[in-house]
mmCIF file of all heavy atoms in Angstrom:
data_model
loop_
_atom_site.group_PDB
_atom_site.id
_atom_site.type_symbol
_atom_site.label_atom_id
_atom_site.label_comp_id
_atom_site.label_asym_id
_atom_site.label_seq_id
_atom_site.Cartn_x
_atom_site.Cartn_y
_atom_site.Cartn_z
ATOM 1 N N VAL K 612 -1.315 1.764 -7.120
ATOM 2 C CA VAL K 612 -1.049 0.729 -8.122
ATOM 3 C C VAL K 612 -0.572 1.422 -9.395
ATOM 4 O O VAL K 612 -0.981 2.535 -9.704
ATOM 5 C CB VAL K 612 -2.279 -0.178 -8.384
ATOM 6 C CG1 VAL K 612 -2.585 -1.008 -7.152
ATOM 7 C CG2 VAL K 612 -3.496 0.612 -8.813
ATOM 8 N N THR K 613 0.308 0.760 -10.137
ATOM 9 C CA THR K 613 0.957 1.372 -11.294
ATOM 10 C C THR K 613 0.275 1.054 -12.624
ATOM 11 O O THR K 613 0.713 1.527 -13.657
ATOM 12 C CB THR K 613 2.422 0.932 -11.382
ATOM 13 O OG1 THR K 613 2.470 -0.496 -11.533
ATOM 14 C CG2 THR K 613 3.192 1.356 -10.136
ATOM 15 N N ALA K 614 -0.776 0.250 -12.591
ATOM 16 C CA ALA K 614 -1.515 -0.110 -13.801
ATOM 17 C C ALA K 614 -2.929 -0.501 -13.391
ATOM 18 O O ALA K 614 -3.196 -0.737 -12.209
ATOM 19 C CB ALA K 614 -0.840 -1.285 -14.504
ATOM 20 N N THR K 615 -3.837 -0.562 -14.351
ATOM 21 C CA THR K 615 -5.159 -1.113 -14.066
ATOM 22 C C THR K 615 -4.967 -2.606 -13.864
ATOM 23 O O THR K 615 -4.385 -3.285 -14.718
ATOM 24 C CB THR K 615 -6.131 -0.802 -15.218
ATOM 25 O OG1 THR K 615 -6.259 0.624 -15.304
ATOM 26 C CG2 THR K 615 -7.487 -1.428 -14.974
ATOM 27 N N VAL K 616 -5.404 -3.114 -12.718
ATOM 28 C CA VAL K 616 -5.035 -4.469 -12.317
ATOM 29 C C VAL K 616 -6.192 -5.160 -11.591
ATOM 30 O O VAL K 616 -7.031 -4.503 -10.983
ATOM 31 C CB VAL K 616 -3.762 -4.400 -11.432
ATOM 32 C CG1 VAL K 616 -4.016 -3.662 -10.149
ATOM 33 C CG2 VAL K 616 -3.173 -5.758 -11.170
ATOM 34 N N ASN K 617 -6.216 -6.488 -11.675
ATOM 35 C CA ASN K 617 -7.226 -7.280 -10.961
ATOM 36 C C ASN K 617 -7.014 -7.183 -9.461
ATOM 37 O O ASN K 617 -5.889 -7.250 -8.974
ATOM 38 C CB ASN K 617 -7.155 -8.752 -11.379
ATOM 39 C CG ASN K 617 -7.813 -8.996 -12.697
ATOM 40 O OD1 ASN K 617 -8.983 -8.681 -12.885
ATOM 41 N ND2 ASN K 617 -7.065 -9.542 -13.644
ATOM 42 N N PHE K 618 -8.117 -7.044 -8.748
ATOM 43 C CA PHE K 618 -8.149 -6.993 -7.285
ATOM 44 C C PHE K 618 -8.747 -8.326 -6.847
ATOM 45 O O PHE K 618 -9.931 -8.575 -7.040
ATOM 46 C CB PHE K 618 -9.032 -5.811 -6.873
ATOM 47 C CG PHE K 618 -9.080 -5.520 -5.407
ATOM 48 C CD1 PHE K 618 -7.933 -5.304 -4.677
ATOM 49 C CD2 PHE K 618 -10.303 -5.413 -4.759
ATOM 50 C CE1 PHE K 618 -7.988 -5.001 -3.328
ATOM 51 C CE2 PHE K 618 -10.380 -5.111 -3.413
ATOM 52 C CZ PHE K 618 -9.214 -4.902 -2.698
ATOM 53 N N ARG K 619 -7.920 -9.230 -6.319
ATOM 54 C CA ARG K 619 -8.308 -10.623 -6.122
ATOM 55 C C ARG K 619 -8.619 -10.988 -4.671
ATOM 56 O O ARG K 619 -8.198 -10.321 -3.742
ATOM 57 C CB ARG K 619 -7.213 -11.534 -6.656
ATOM 58 C CG ARG K 619 -7.007 -11.361 -8.153
ATOM 59 C CD ARG K 619 -6.072 -12.414 -8.720
ATOM 60 N NE ARG K 619 -5.920 -12.250 -10.149
ATOM 61 C CZ ARG K 619 -6.748 -12.748 -11.051
ATOM 62 N NH1 ARG K 619 -7.789 -13.464 -10.671
ATOM 63 N NH2 ARG K 619 -6.537 -12.556 -12.333
ATOM 64 N N THR K 620 -9.328 -12.120 -4.514
ATOM 65 C CA THR K 620 -9.702 -12.627 -3.195
ATOM 66 C C THR K 620 -8.564 -13.370 -2.509
ATOM 67 O O THR K 620 -8.654 -13.672 -1.323
ATOM 68 C CB THR K 620 -10.919 -13.565 -3.286
ATOM 69 O OG1 THR K 620 -10.601 -14.652 -4.166
ATOM 70 C CG2 THR K 620 -12.148 -12.821 -3.797
ATOM 71 N N GLY K 621 -7.498 -13.676 -3.215
ATOM 72 C CA GLY K 621 -6.362 -14.395 -2.652
ATOM 73 C C GLY K 621 -5.106 -14.138 -3.437
ATOM 74 O O GLY K 621 -5.132 -13.543 -4.520
ATOM 75 N N PRO K 622 -3.961 -14.599 -2.923
ATOM 76 C CA PRO K 622 -2.659 -14.320 -3.526
ATOM 77 C C PRO K 622 -2.310 -15.246 -4.694
ATOM 78 O O PRO K 622 -1.479 -16.139 -4.572
ATOM 79 C CB PRO K 622 -1.695 -14.506 -2.357
ATOM 80 C CG PRO K 622 -2.356 -15.554 -1.511
ATOM 81 C CD PRO K 622 -3.839 -15.283 -1.640
ATOM 82 N N GLY K 623 -2.940 -15.023 -5.836
ATOM 83 C CA GLY K 623 -2.634 -15.811 -7.029
ATOM 84 C C GLY K 623 -3.701 -15.638 -8.089
ATOM 85 O O GLY K 623 -4.830 -15.236 -7.797
ATOM 86 N N THR K 624 -3.355 -15.965 -9.331
ATOM 87 C CA THR K 624 -4.306 -15.825 -10.438
ATOM 88 C C THR K 624 -5.429 -16.846 -10.372
ATOM 89 O O THR K 624 -6.438 -16.694 -11.052
ATOM 90 C CB THR K 624 -3.596 -15.926 -11.798
ATOM 91 O OG1 THR K 624 -2.920 -17.189 -11.863
ATOM 92 C CG2 THR K 624 -2.609 -14.787 -11.998
ATOM 93 N N GLY K 625 -5.293 -17.871 -9.556
ATOM 94 C CA GLY K 625 -6.349 -18.860 -9.383
ATOM 95 C C GLY K 625 -7.498 -18.382 -8.505
ATOM 96 O O GLY K 625 -8.523 -19.037 -8.401
ATOM 97 N N TYR K 626 -7.319 -17.225 -7.862
ATOM 98 C CA TYR K 626 -8.365 -16.662 -7.017
ATOM 99 C C TYR K 626 -9.262 -15.738 -7.840
ATOM 100 O O TYR K 626 -8.833 -15.146 -8.823
ATOM 101 C CB TYR K 626 -7.748 -15.883 -5.844
ATOM 102 C CG TYR K 626 -7.080 -16.786 -4.848
ATOM 103 C CD1 TYR K 626 -5.733 -17.121 -4.979
ATOM 104 C CD2 TYR K 626 -7.791 -17.321 -3.782
ATOM 105 C CE1 TYR K 626 -5.115 -17.958 -4.068
ATOM 106 C CE2 TYR K 626 -7.176 -18.157 -2.870
ATOM 107 C CZ TYR K 626 -5.839 -18.475 -3.017
ATOM 108 O OH TYR K 626 -5.235 -19.306 -2.116
ATOM 109 N N THR K 627 -10.485 -15.589 -7.397
ATOM 110 C CA THR K 627 -11.480 -14.774 -8.085
ATOM 111 C C THR K 627 -11.102 -13.295 -8.067
ATOM 112 O O THR K 627 -10.651 -12.783 -7.045
ATOM 113 C CB THR K 627 -12.851 -14.942 -7.388
ATOM 114 O OG1 THR K 627 -13.182 -16.322 -7.369
ATOM 115 C CG2 THR K 627 -13.937 -14.160 -8.102
ATOM 116 N N SER K 628 -11.322 -12.627 -9.195
ATOM 117 C CA SER K 628 -11.138 -11.181 -9.258
ATOM 118 C C SER K 628 -12.401 -10.508 -8.745
ATOM 119 O O SER K 628 -13.505 -10.864 -9.148
ATOM 120 C CB SER K 628 -10.858 -10.733 -10.693
ATOM 121 O OG SER K 628 -10.797 -9.322 -10.754
ATOM 122 N N ARG K 629 -12.231 -9.539 -7.858
ATOM 123 C CA ARG K 629 -13.366 -8.756 -7.356
ATOM 124 C C ARG K 629 -13.695 -7.617 -8.312
ATOM 125 O O ARG K 629 -14.666 -6.912 -8.129
ATOM 126 C CB ARG K 629 -13.017 -8.153 -6.005
ATOM 127 C CG ARG K 629 -12.826 -9.178 -4.943
ATOM 128 C CD ARG K 629 -12.517 -8.509 -3.630
ATOM 129 N NE ARG K 629 -12.623 -9.524 -2.597
ATOM 130 C CZ ARG K 629 -12.351 -9.312 -1.340
ATOM 131 N NH1 ARG K 629 -11.974 -8.112 -0.942
ATOM 132 N NH2 ARG K 629 -12.464 -10.278 -0.469
ATOM 133 N N GLY K 630 -12.817 -7.397 -9.257
ATOM 134 C CA GLY K 630 -12.945 -6.287 -10.193
ATOM 135 C C GLY K 630 -11.571 -5.690 -10.418
ATOM 136 O O GLY K 630 -10.558 -6.330 -10.139
ATOM 137 N N LEU K 631 -11.543 -4.467 -10.906
ATOM 138 C CA LEU K 631 -10.281 -3.821 -11.240
ATOM 139 C C LEU K 631 -10.000 -2.618 -10.355
ATOM 140 O O LEU K 631 -10.920 -1.905 -9.952
ATOM 141 C CB LEU K 631 -10.296 -3.360 -12.697
ATOM 142 C CG LEU K 631 -10.458 -4.446 -13.748
ATOM 143 C CD1 LEU K 631 -10.612 -3.810 -15.129
ATOM 144 C CD2 LEU K 631 -9.283 -5.406 -13.728
ATOM 145 N N LEU K 632 -8.722 -2.408 -10.072
ATOM 146 C CA LEU K 632 -8.260 -1.149 -9.502
ATOM 147 C C LEU K 632 -7.639 -0.394 -10.666
ATOM 148 O O LEU K 632 -6.952 -0.983 -11.500
ATOM 149 C CB LEU K 632 -7.213 -1.384 -8.413
ATOM 150 C CG LEU K 632 -7.651 -2.202 -7.204
ATOM 151 C CD1 LEU K 632 -6.510 -2.303 -6.193
ATOM 152 C CD2 LEU K 632 -8.883 -1.604 -6.546
ATOM 153 N N THR K 633 -7.878 0.909 -10.738
ATOM 154 C CA THR K 633 -7.367 1.686 -11.863
ATOM 155 C C THR K 633 -5.960 2.210 -11.596
ATOM 156 O O THR K 633 -5.561 2.423 -10.440
ATOM 157 C CB THR K 633 -8.295 2.870 -12.180
ATOM 158 O OG1 THR K 633 -8.424 3.673 -11.013
ATOM 159 C CG2 THR K 633 -9.664 2.384 -12.614
ATOM 160 N N LYS K 634 -5.227 2.400 -12.679
ATOM 161 C CA LYS K 634 -3.861 2.920 -12.590
ATOM 162 C C LYS K 634 -3.850 4.196 -11.750
ATOM 163 O O LYS K 634 -4.673 5.083 -11.941
ATOM 164 C CB LYS K 634 -3.323 3.218 -13.986
ATOM 165 C CG LYS K 634 -1.917 3.752 -13.982
ATOM 166 C CD LYS K 634 -1.422 4.003 -15.381
ATOM 167 C CE LYS K 634 0.002 4.530 -15.343
ATOM 168 N NZ LYS K 634 0.523 4.730 -16.701
ATOM 169 N N GLY K 635 -2.938 4.266 -10.783
ATOM 170 C CA GLY K 635 -2.796 5.426 -9.921
ATOM 171 C C GLY K 635 -3.663 5.408 -8.680
ATOM 172 O O GLY K 635 -3.567 6.308 -7.840
ATOM 173 N N GLN K 636 -4.504 4.386 -8.523
ATOM 174 C CA GLN K 636 -5.399 4.297 -7.356
ATOM 175 C C GLN K 636 -4.579 4.234 -6.073
ATOM 176 O O GLN K 636 -3.653 3.451 -5.941
ATOM 177 C CB GLN K 636 -6.272 3.062 -7.466
ATOM 178 C CG GLN K 636 -7.091 2.818 -6.227
ATOM 179 C CD GLN K 636 -8.552 2.612 -6.509
ATOM 180 O OE1 GLN K 636 -8.939 2.366 -7.620
ATOM 181 N NE2 GLN K 636 -9.346 2.730 -5.496
ATOM 182 N N GLY K 637 -4.941 5.062 -5.097
ATOM 183 C CA GLY K 637 -4.278 5.065 -3.799
ATOM 184 C C GLY K 637 -4.712 3.877 -2.964
ATOM 185 O O GLY K 637 -5.893 3.554 -2.901
ATOM 186 N N VAL K 638 -3.735 3.213 -2.327
ATOM 187 C CA VAL K 638 -4.007 2.026 -1.518
ATOM 188 C C VAL K 638 -3.132 2.020 -0.272
ATOM 189 O O VAL K 638 -2.082 2.651 -0.231
ATOM 190 C CB VAL K 638 -3.754 0.718 -2.315
ATOM 191 C CG1 VAL K 638 -4.693 0.598 -3.499
ATOM 192 C CG2 VAL K 638 -2.306 0.617 -2.777
ATOM 193 N N TYR K 639 -3.593 1.273 0.732
ATOM 194 C CA TYR K 639 -2.775 0.972 1.898
ATOM 195 C C TYR K 639 -2.286 -0.454 1.718
ATOM 196 O O TYR K 639 -3.077 -1.388 1.646
ATOM 197 C CB TYR K 639 -3.583 1.089 3.195
ATOM 198 C CG TYR K 639 -2.785 0.649 4.400
ATOM 199 C CD1 TYR K 639 -1.742 1.445 4.884
ATOM 200 C CD2 TYR K 639 -3.041 -0.553 5.023
ATOM 201 C CE1 TYR K 639 -0.987 1.039 5.966
ATOM 202 C CE2 TYR K 639 -2.290 -0.968 6.121
ATOM 203 C CZ TYR K 639 -1.262 -0.168 6.584
ATOM 204 O OH TYR K 639 -0.503 -0.573 7.653
ATOM 205 N N TRP K 640 -0.983 -0.646 1.608
ATOM 206 C CA TRP K 640 -0.371 -1.961 1.398
ATOM 207 C C TRP K 640 0.077 -2.479 2.756
ATOM 208 O O TRP K 640 1.006 -1.977 3.360
ATOM 209 C CB TRP K 640 0.796 -1.826 0.436
ATOM 210 C CG TRP K 640 1.488 -3.084 0.061
ATOM 211 C CD1 TRP K 640 1.072 -4.362 0.230
ATOM 212 C CD2 TRP K 640 2.758 -3.179 -0.596
ATOM 213 N NE1 TRP K 640 1.988 -5.245 -0.273
ATOM 214 C CE2 TRP K 640 3.040 -4.545 -0.791
ATOM 215 C CE3 TRP K 640 3.680 -2.250 -1.035
ATOM 216 C CZ2 TRP K 640 4.195 -4.999 -1.401
ATOM 217 C CZ3 TRP K 640 4.839 -2.697 -1.645
ATOM 218 C CH2 TRP K 640 5.089 -4.061 -1.837
ATOM 219 N N ALA K 641 -0.612 -3.496 3.261
ATOM 220 C CA ALA K 641 -0.356 -3.998 4.614
ATOM 221 C C ALA K 641 0.780 -5.015 4.668
ATOM 222 O O ALA K 641 1.616 -4.973 5.562
ATOM 223 C CB ALA K 641 -1.622 -4.613 5.188
ATOM 224 N N CYS K 642 0.788 -5.962 3.717
ATOM 225 C CA CYS K 642 1.744 -7.056 3.786
ATOM 226 C C CYS K 642 1.767 -7.786 2.449
ATOM 227 O O CYS K 642 1.041 -7.436 1.526
ATOM 228 C CB CYS K 642 1.368 -8.016 4.915
ATOM 229 S SG CYS K 642 -0.300 -8.703 4.767
ATOM 230 N N TYR K 643 2.603 -8.818 2.367
ATOM 231 C CA TYR K 643 2.639 -9.608 1.141
ATOM 232 C C TYR K 643 2.977 -11.062 1.404
ATOM 233 O O TYR K 643 3.468 -11.428 2.462
ATOM 234 C CB TYR K 643 3.596 -9.008 0.110
ATOM 235 C CG TYR K 643 5.065 -9.028 0.467
ATOM 236 C CD1 TYR K 643 5.874 -10.103 0.102
ATOM 237 C CD2 TYR K 643 5.650 -7.969 1.141
ATOM 238 C CE1 TYR K 643 7.229 -10.111 0.410
ATOM 239 C CE2 TYR K 643 6.993 -7.967 1.447
ATOM 240 C CZ TYR K 643 7.779 -9.035 1.072
ATOM 241 O OH TYR K 643 9.112 -9.049 1.376
ATOM 242 N N LYS K 644 2.677 -11.863 0.398
ATOM 243 C CA LYS K 644 3.026 -13.275 0.390
ATOM 244 C C LYS K 644 3.525 -13.581 -1.015
ATOM 245 O O LYS K 644 2.790 -13.408 -1.990
ATOM 246 C CB LYS K 644 1.816 -14.150 0.706
ATOM 247 C CG LYS K 644 2.130 -15.635 0.642
ATOM 248 C CD LYS K 644 0.932 -16.484 0.983
ATOM 249 C CE LYS K 644 1.352 -17.952 0.968
ATOM 250 N NZ LYS K 644 0.257 -18.810 1.388
ATOM 251 N N GLY K 645 4.786 -13.985 -1.118
ATOM 252 C CA GLY K 645 5.355 -14.237 -2.438
ATOM 253 C C GLY K 645 5.301 -12.970 -3.274
ATOM 254 O O GLY K 645 5.705 -11.908 -2.835
ATOM 255 N N ASN K 646 4.747 -13.087 -4.467
ATOM 256 C CA ASN K 646 4.656 -11.941 -5.370
ATOM 257 C C ASN K 646 3.292 -11.244 -5.286
ATOM 258 O O ASN K 646 2.892 -10.566 -6.223
ATOM 259 C CB ASN K 646 4.946 -12.381 -6.808
ATOM 260 C CG ASN K 646 5.222 -11.197 -7.699
ATOM 261 O OD1 ASN K 646 5.874 -10.237 -7.297
ATOM 262 N ND2 ASN K 646 4.714 -11.233 -8.917
ATOM 263 N N TRP K 647 2.592 -11.389 -4.172
ATOM 264 C CA TRP K 647 1.243 -10.824 -4.036
ATOM 265 C C TRP K 647 1.142 -9.929 -2.822
ATOM 266 O O TRP K 647 1.537 -10.303 -1.718
ATOM 267 C CB TRP K 647 0.211 -11.954 -3.965
ATOM 268 C CG TRP K 647 0.147 -12.656 -5.276
ATOM 269 C CD1 TRP K 647 0.933 -13.697 -5.686
ATOM 270 C CD2 TRP K 647 -0.684 -12.326 -6.370
ATOM 271 N NE1 TRP K 647 0.630 -14.029 -6.974
ATOM 272 C CE2 TRP K 647 -0.365 -13.210 -7.425
ATOM 273 C CE3 TRP K 647 -1.671 -11.380 -6.579
ATOM 274 C CZ2 TRP K 647 -0.996 -13.169 -8.663
ATOM 275 C CZ3 TRP K 647 -2.311 -11.335 -7.804
ATOM 276 C CH2 TRP K 647 -1.970 -12.224 -8.822
ATOM 277 N N GLY K 648 0.598 -8.726 -3.020
ATOM 278 C CA GLY K 648 0.415 -7.764 -1.943
ATOM 279 C C GLY K 648 -1.024 -7.733 -1.475
ATOM 280 O O GLY K 648 -1.958 -7.795 -2.275
ATOM 281 N N TYR K 649 -1.204 -7.633 -0.169
ATOM 282 C CA TYR K 649 -2.522 -7.541 0.465
ATOM 283 C C TYR K 649 -2.766 -6.070 0.762
ATOM 284 O O TYR K 649 -2.007 -5.446 1.508
ATOM 285 C CB TYR K 649 -2.529 -8.369 1.740
ATOM 286 C CG TYR K 649 -3.864 -8.510 2.416
ATOM 287 C CD1 TYR K 649 -4.924 -9.148 1.786
ATOM 288 C CD2 TYR K 649 -4.062 -8.028 3.700
ATOM 289 C CE1 TYR K 649 -6.150 -9.299 2.422
ATOM 290 C CE2 TYR K 649 -5.280 -8.179 4.348
ATOM 291 C CZ TYR K 649 -6.317 -8.814 3.702
ATOM 292 O OH TYR K 649 -7.528 -8.964 4.330
ATOM 293 N N LEU K 650 -3.824 -5.498 0.169
ATOM 294 C CA LEU K 650 -4.023 -4.064 0.291
ATOM 295 C C LEU K 650 -5.478 -3.658 0.356
ATOM 296 O O LEU K 650 -6.372 -4.457 0.111
ATOM 297 C CB LEU K 650 -3.314 -3.339 -0.848
ATOM 298 C CG LEU K 650 -3.518 -3.851 -2.275
ATOM 299 C CD1 LEU K 650 -4.766 -3.285 -2.878
ATOM 300 C CD2 LEU K 650 -2.316 -3.490 -3.104
ATOM 301 N N LYS K 651 -5.671 -2.373 0.707
ATOM 302 C CA LYS K 651 -7.012 -1.800 0.843
ATOM 303 C C LYS K 651 -7.036 -0.468 0.102
ATOM 304 O O LYS K 651 -6.290 0.454 0.451
ATOM 305 C CB LYS K 651 -7.332 -1.594 2.326
ATOM 306 C CG LYS K 651 -8.676 -0.949 2.582
ATOM 307 C CD LYS K 651 -9.028 -0.896 4.059
ATOM 308 C CE LYS K 651 -8.073 -0.046 4.838
ATOM 309 N NZ LYS K 651 -8.495 0.187 6.224
ATOM 310 N N PRO K 652 -7.890 -0.333 -0.917
ATOM 311 C CA PRO K 652 -8.011 0.934 -1.649
ATOM 312 C C PRO K 652 -8.632 2.037 -0.789
ATOM 313 O O PRO K 652 -9.499 1.777 0.040
ATOM 314 C CB PRO K 652 -8.952 0.596 -2.818
ATOM 315 C CG PRO K 652 -8.918 -0.894 -2.921
ATOM 316 C CD PRO K 652 -8.672 -1.398 -1.535
ATOM 317 N N TYR K 653 -8.182 3.271 -1.023
ATOM 318 C CA TYR K 653 -8.705 4.427 -0.300
ATOM 319 C C TYR K 653 -9.975 5.001 -0.912
ATOM 320 O O TYR K 653 -10.690 5.741 -0.257
ATOM 321 C CB TYR K 653 -7.650 5.534 -0.237
ATOM 322 C CG TYR K 653 -6.538 5.230 0.734
ATOM 323 C CD1 TYR K 653 -5.221 5.172 0.300
ATOM 324 C CD2 TYR K 653 -6.809 4.999 2.071
ATOM 325 C CE1 TYR K 653 -4.196 4.902 1.183
ATOM 326 C CE2 TYR K 653 -5.790 4.721 2.966
ATOM 327 C CZ TYR K 653 -4.484 4.674 2.514
ATOM 328 O OH TYR K 653 -3.478 4.393 3.390
ATOM 329 N N TYR K 654 -10.240 4.714 -2.189
ATOM 330 C CA TYR K 654 -11.416 5.264 -2.852
ATOM 331 C C TYR K 654 -11.812 4.359 -4.007
ATOM 332 O O TYR K 654 -11.139 3.367 -4.277
ATOM 333 C CB TYR K 654 -11.156 6.699 -3.350
ATOM 334 C CG TYR K 654 -9.921 6.829 -4.203
ATOM 335 C CD1 TYR K 654 -9.954 6.566 -5.581
ATOM 336 C CD2 TYR K 654 -8.706 7.207 -3.650
ATOM 337 C CE1 TYR K 654 -8.821 6.664 -6.354
ATOM 338 C CE2 TYR K 654 -7.569 7.309 -4.431
ATOM 339 C CZ TYR K 654 -7.628 7.055 -5.782
ATOM 340 O OH TYR K 654 -6.507 7.156 -6.551
ATOM 341 N N GLY K 655 -12.900 4.668 -4.658
ATOM 342 C CA GLY K 655 -13.371 3.878 -5.788
ATOM 343 C C GLY K 655 -14.332 2.783 -5.366
ATOM 344 O O GLY K 655 -14.761 2.711 -4.204
ATOM 345 N N ALA K 656 -14.657 1.910 -6.317
ATOM 346 C CA ALA K 656 -15.653 0.854 -6.099
ATOM 347 C C ALA K 656 -15.273 -0.101 -4.965
ATOM 348 O O ALA K 656 -16.138 -0.690 -4.336
ATOM 349 C CB ALA K 656 -15.852 0.067 -7.390
#
């Protein structure tokens, strides 16, 4: 991820944030819907 960003339960700002991913966090990006990517962080909380 390129910035500290909300990690959400669904594809949109109307979904609950689970917390933040920090800038530079490594992730596996599986797929997307519209402007939202579905991913899994490799480390961190």
Side-chain angles (χ1 to χ4, degrees):
V612 293
T613 61
T615 297
V616 64
N617 281 304
F618 186 55
R619 297 189 178 275
T620 58
T624 58
Y626 290 90
T627 304
S628 175
R629 294 181 168 176
L631 299 174
L632 299 182
T633 57
K634 180 179 180 178
Q636 173 129 16
V638 297
Y639 174 72
W640 183 15
C642 57
Y643 67 91
K644 177 179 183 176
N646 195 39
W647 292 87
Y649 187 63
L650 48 85
K651 177 174 63 171
Y653 286 121
Y654 53 85

